[in-house]
Amino acid sequence: MARSYRSQMYNEKVLEHFMNPRNVGIIEDADAIGIEGNPVCGDTMKMYLKIKDDIIVDVKFQTLGCGAAIATSSIATEMLKDRPLEEARRMTSRKIADALGGLSPGKIHCSVLAADALKSALASYEAQRQGADTSN
Ligand code: FES
């Protein structure tokens, strides 16, 4: 019973990332942190980035949320690790959902959490950099 419910809601890849999420945790000396919440369901994601020479050398996340929120957070971190900032800026919720083989229509909004947490982290990183530039 539970198995057929899960297979209707989530494909195998989503389930796999939900059961074994990658890059869970925090980065103590993160260069940027992004926090995003969905006001409707209350789910939240915190994304930590370690950046060196415009490359995301490490990325971790903490997500309090549904299976799709955790799976999209997990795959988003895999897509970002060791990638240039320029590529991260082009990340969209659609790309994240596609990398998981798609989400059911009722769960598409969950992929927005990871994309928006990334946007928030990148915006905070840019603001810090601009602040550092103007203080010199
Ligand atoms: Fe809230 Fe999935 S139901 S992010």
Side-chain angles (χ1 to χ4, degrees), residues 38 41-43 66 68-69 107 109-110 113:
N38 181 321
C41 64
D43 292 353
C66 70
K107 287 287 169 185
H109 75 275
C110 306
L113 204 58

Side-chain angles (χ1 to χ4, degrees), residues 114-129:
D116 284 356
L118 170 63
K119 269 188 209 138
S120 163
L122 292 175
S124 123
Y125 183 68
E126 294 304 329
Q128 283 173 50
R129 279 221 304 209

Side-chain angles (χ1 to χ4, degrees), residues 72-134:
T72 51
S73 299
S74 169
I75 200 146
T77 60
E78 282 197 326
M79 295 164 80
L80 292 167
K81 201 163 187 175
D82 298 323
R83 305 308 308 161
L85 281 180
E86 198 46 51
E87 199 174 307
R89 288 188 194 103
R90 292 195 301 269
M91 180 75 76
T92 62
S93 58
R94 175 64 184 267
K95 286 181 185 171
I96 295 168
D98 285 352
L100 281 173
L103 290 166
S104 60
K107 287 287 169 185
I108 284 287
H109 75 275
C110 306
S111 58
V112 174
L113 204 58
D116 284 356
L118 170 63
K119 269 188 209 138
S120 163
L122 292 175
S124 123
Y125 183 68
E126 294 304 329
Q128 283 173 50
R129 279 221 304 209
Q130 283 174 7
D133 285 349
T134 55

Side-chain angles (χ1 to χ4, degrees), residues 48-73:
Y48 303 79
L49 301 178
K50 188 76 194 158
I51 299 164
K52 190 165 193 298
D53 298 330
D54 285 347
I55 304 287
I56 297 173
V57 294
D58 199 8
V59 49
K60 294 209 181 296
F61 79 93
Q62 295 174 303
T63 293
L64 264 176
C66 70
I70 290 167
T72 51
S73 299

